[in-house]
Amino acid sequence: MRADIHPDYHFITIKMTDGSTYQVRSTWGKEGDQMALDIDPLAHPAWTGGNAKLMDTGGRVSKFKNKYAGLGF
């Protein structure tokens, strides 16, 4: 393998939306940097079971449903 072709792999701190932190190894930033997350498993509807609204701009969803109505969507 060729030498010096891999990025620097170091420890950073991840800050969750509730303020808790933990350390991981990453190629992002520099050693000791902190990454603050806006969306994480504590806040995202995919993990919390929240409801997301489907925005129908210009009737696109309606057109799709009408076009493929016989397929059971």
Side-chain angles (χ1 to χ4, degrees):
M1 205 169 7
R2 291 188 344 201
D4 300 326
I5 63 168
H6 298 290
D8 181 33
Y9 195 58
H10 49 269
F11 281 101
I12 64 166
T13 303
I14 303 293
K15 183 176 180 185
M16 306 288 274
T17 55
D18 69 346
S20 62
T21 61
Y22 63 95
Q23 283 199 331
V24 296
R25 289 179 54 100
S26 175
T27 57
W28 180 86
K30 297 178 292 220
E31 179 79 31
D33 281 354
Q34 183 178 48
M35 177 186 286
L37 300 179
D38 294 331
I39 298 175
D40 63 14
L42 302 173
H44 195 277
W47 287 285
T48 61
N51 294 331
K53 286 185 144 184
L54 180 63
M55 301 301 287
D56 186 8
T57 29
R60 291 186 178 116
V61 174
S62 302
K63 288 178 188 176
F64 178 84
K65 286 182 178 180
N66 291 336
K67 184 175 182 179
Y68 297 105
L71 298 176
F73 289 121

